[in-house]
Amino acid sequence: MRRFYARQRLALLAALTGLVASIGLFNGPAASAAMPTPISGATARSYLATLTVTAEDRTGYDRDLFPHWSTVSGACNTRETVLKRDGSNVVTDASCAATSGSWYSPYDGATWTAASDVDIDHLVPLAEAWDSGADAWTTTRRQAFANDLTRPQLIAVTDNVNQAKGDQDPATWMPSRTDYRCTYVRAWVQVKHYYGLSVDSAEKSALQGHLAGC
């Protein structure tokens, strides 16, 4: 008798688990950006403490100094690779351009069904990197930074949101979705730490504030 009731409880638990999963499927976003998972909040706080704090200097910056959208495989470049990675049911043509699919932008919570409505954001902007030490890099290193698929540096987001962000750091711009901000600052610190980039004082204060709740 006890085994019978135990089996009943297991069957009920399995049914409830399936129901919860189904609810999540219908209520969740159509697609979820799949950039590499950033470091933990604790690790980000540790990394941030080691970053050099200095004033920024944009003298000599030119976006072309960061060769971007390099070929990844066949006809696919970095932009097209991220569009396919971050989208759902993405279909591409012979030139690797996305012809259909859907993209969920974690910055603002919008979902798009046209690739033209989506930008690939450099989470740490190229100009910000230049200000923070990339002006001393070789072109090869700047190219690696601009096309980095290994760190949480590239992400598909709503185009006008990316344009509004521009080259701002977390002291002056953060995603409108507050529940994504912890992910955003963890990724920011991870990228800056990996590439040995500095932070300015306002940027560090903002990062500390956001990371305190992560």
Side-chain angles (χ1 to χ4, degrees):
M1 184 65 71
R2 289 181 180 175
R3 291 180 180 176
F4 172 76
Y5 285 124
R7 285 196 298 271
Q8 278 192 320
R9 286 195 295 271
L10 287 173
L12 178 60
L13 179 60
L16 288 172
T17 301
L19 178 61
V20 170
S22 297
I23 291 171
L25 177 64
F26 287 109
N27 290 342
S32 181
M35 73 173 186
T37 302
I39 54 177
S40 69
T43 301
R45 289 189 290 273
S46 175
Y47 282 2
L48 179 58
T50 70
L51 298 184
T52 300
V53 180
T54 186
E56 297 182 345
D57 180 6
R58 192 160 300 183
T59 304
Y61 171 72
D62 187 325
R63 186 175 174 85
D64 290 340
L65 294 171
F66 292 80
H68 48 285
W69 310 155
S70 302
T71 299
V72 174
S73 177
C76 301
N77 65 25
T78 311
R79 171 185 162 77
E80 293 154 347
T81 299
V82 176
L83 276 174
K84 189 168 184 178
R85 181 198 71 185
D86 289 5
S88 179
N89 301 317
V90 177
V91 176
T92 57
D93 61 19
S95 64
C96 204
T99 57
S100 64
S102 64
W103 292 267
Y104 174 73
S105 170
Y107 286 0
D108 58 332
T111 297
W112 304 96
T113 56
S116 58
D117 290 321
V118 178
D119 276 355
I120 305 306
D121 180 37
H122 287 94
L123 192 136
V124 175
L126 304 182
E128 169 68 23
W130 180 270
D131 295 347
S132 308
D135 57 333
W137 292 353
T138 64
T139 300
T140 299
R141 186 161 177 79
R142 285 195 288 266
Q143 182 173 9
F145 176 84
N147 296 277
D148 191 347
L149 294 168
T150 303
R151 262 62 55 182
Q153 164 66 349
L154 297 172
I155 185 171
V157 297
T158 302
D159 57 356
N160 60 1
V161 172
N162 183 49
Q163 291 154 23
K165 171 188 171 181
D167 56 15
Q168 298 180 79
D169 69 31
T172 55
W173 189 93
M174 287 292 290
S176 61
R177 282 186 62 234
T178 56
D179 57 352
Y180 194 73
R181 291 179 178 179
C182 179
T183 301
Y184 185 81
V185 293
R186 284 158 44 212
W188 184 282
V189 171
Q190 179 177 349
V191 171
K192 283 223 160 178
H193 179 269
Y194 179 83
Y195 283 97
L197 296 171
S198 63
V199 291
D200 63 41
S201 57
E203 176 188 355
K204 182 173 183 177
S205 294
L207 290 167
Q208 288 173 323
H210 288 293
L211 284 171
C214 291

